[in-house]
Amino acid sequence: MNLKGRDFLKLLDFTQEEILYLIDLAAELKEKKKKGIPVDTFRGKNVALIFEKTSTRTRCAFEVAAHDLGLGTTYLDPAGSQIGKKESIADTARVLAGMFEGIEYRGFEQEIVEELAKYSSVPVWNGLTNEFHPTQMLADLLTIREQFGYLKGIKLTYMGDARYNMGNSLMVACAKMGMHFTACTTAAYFPAEELVAQCREIAAETGGSVTLTEDVMDGTRDVDVIYTDVWVSMGEPDQVWEKRIRELSPYQVNADVMENAGEKAIFMHCLPAFHDLKTKIGAEMGERFGIQEMEVTDQVFESKQSKVFEEAENRMHTIKAVMAATL
Ligand code: CP
Ligand code: NVA
């Protein structure tokens, strides 16, 4: 398997074998990290980390992974560069490719990261766009495999806003890996028809499936993974909160959902999560709408079934694999 020089923009661009290779490499790098075996073979090379939206996990994962690999890093924050304001993406790509061996980009439309990759002569890695979050997928697949020992045949149900980056990406990841994906939400939040059709075609070959349902009990009965994400994503206007809370509250992950899924089921969330009032936005929504928690209850979030912190750690090991494989 040789992924040298490849961009990592969305899982649709990768075969099942390539995805498995990256997960296996991540598992190997994780083991080396735990044993203290150095992997800093990329000394003398540098990567640019561009964030047009904020981040905790993705930024830290890229920085720590890069340092472990011996790479130098330059972080460009959401405000502190010329990108988009004074300099086009095409020009930025060519400038950065002259100084760095790889470029991470988190931003808005997928077409921006695709454009960056088109004009960059070095690998570009998608650190989240409105449409896709592919590095998160590798971490999620690694976590699921660690928990169950396999991927093929796993039943994963995604609740909430399934037409944005996380719903789209999980549907693609499941289809690619021969897993059974269900979007369990109100119809207005189902992923786009075209992507559903594309994933159903992929799933037909891998033995997976894609199901869309509005019925919470049907959609969550006897599944392996219950997954959710925030109801309002980065870059969306504050005005949508009220409508989202009203429309998506029936799809909150709570004790009834987990019980319906069964004892063996795990709970996953890309994080950050609104499971209590201990955040600025959480407290504000609590005051405005009289709620204590949003997409997941604190009880589920803190339960034994919740694997969210294992999942978060795996962001680092999988991002390390992406850089090591493509550089
Ligand atoms: N899951 C995730 O991408 O988290 P950050 O926004 O903190 O990077
Ligand atoms: N859907 C969320 C994911 C955060 C990791 C967002 O885009 O804000």
Side-chain angles (χ1 to χ4, degrees), residues 117-141:
K118 184 175 156 199
Y119 285 94
S120 161
S121 56
V122 301
V124 172
W125 309 300
N126 177 2
L128 176 145
T129 59
N130 296 348
E131 291 85 351
F132 294 112
H133 197 1
T135 62
Q136 179 76 49
M137 291 309 104
L138 294 181
D140 294 350
L141 292 172

Side-chain angles (χ1 to χ4, degrees), residues 277 282-291:
L277 302 179
E284 193 187 315
M285 296 307 141
E287 206 159 283
R288 272 174 69 190
F289 304 109
I291 49 175

Side-chain angles (χ1 to χ4, degrees), residues 55-58 106 133 136 270-271 315:
S55 168
T56 296
R57 275 147 293 275
T58 311
R106 164 174 286 198
H133 197 1
Q136 179 76 49
C270 54
L271 305 182
R315 297 297 310 285

Side-chain angles (χ1 to χ4, degrees), residues 209-263:
S209 62
V210 174
T211 305
L212 310 178
T213 180
E214 292 194 300
D215 190 298
V216 173
M217 287 297 125
D218 277 355
T220 61
R221 187 172 300 115
D222 193 28
V223 302
D224 303 302
V225 182
I226 299 285
Y227 204 119
T228 191
D229 180 20
V230 289
W231 289 338
V232 177
S233 286
M234 289 182 279
E236 294 196 285
D238 276 351
Q239 297 90 284
V240 302
W241 272 110
E242 186 184 354
K243 189 166 184 269
R244 289 288 163 81
I245 290 172
R246 190 168 11 94
E247 294 178 338
L248 295 178
S249 285
Y251 299 94
Q252 180 190 62
V253 179
N254 53 33
D256 289 344
V257 165
M258 292 310 293
E259 197 187 323
N260 193 47
E263 247 175 74

Side-chain angles (χ1 to χ4, degrees), residues 32-167:
K32 286 193 171 144
K33 174 88 178 176
K34 304 281 171 199
K35 288 184 177 154
I37 300 171
V39 293
D40 55 341
T41 53
F42 292 87
R43 279 185 308 273
K45 292 187 161 60
N46 296 286
V47 296
L49 308 177
I50 307 169
F51 284 81
E52 300 215 80
K53 290 175 177 170
T54 52
S55 168
T56 296
R57 275 147 293 275
T58 311
R59 177 186 175 180
C60 294
F62 267 100
E63 291 208 16
V64 172
H67 295 156
D68 284 356
L69 291 171
L71 291 159
T73 56
T74 297
Y75 170 70
L76 295 166
D77 74 20
S81 77
Q82 314 285 20
I83 299 167
K85 296 177 282 288
K86 285 174 70 182
E87 194 155 37
S88 70
I89 292 296
D91 292 356
T92 303
R94 289 172 289 179
V95 169
L96 296 180
M99 300 185 200
F100 297 95
E101 275 75 24
I103 305 168
E104 179 278 348
Y105 180 86
R106 164 174 286 198
F108 294 85
E109 287 79 27
Q110 179 72 14
E111 62 189 33
I112 300 174
V113 77
E114 302 271 353
E115 169 105 344
L116 190 68
K118 184 175 156 199
Y119 285 94
S120 161
S121 56
V122 301
V124 172
W125 309 300
N126 177 2
L128 176 145
T129 59
N130 296 348
E131 291 85 351
F132 294 112
H133 197 1
T135 62
Q136 179 76 49
M137 291 309 104
L138 294 181
D140 294 350
L141 292 172
L142 176 63
T143 309
I144 294 168
R145 198 175 69 175
E146 285 173 348
Q147 294 299 324
F148 294 96
Y150 61 95
L151 290 172
K152 203 170 162 54
I154 288 283
K155 289 181 255 175
L156 183 149
T157 293
Y158 180 88
M159 303 179 80
D161 183 2
R163 35 153 228 177
Y164 217 67
N165 43 27
M166 287 305 304

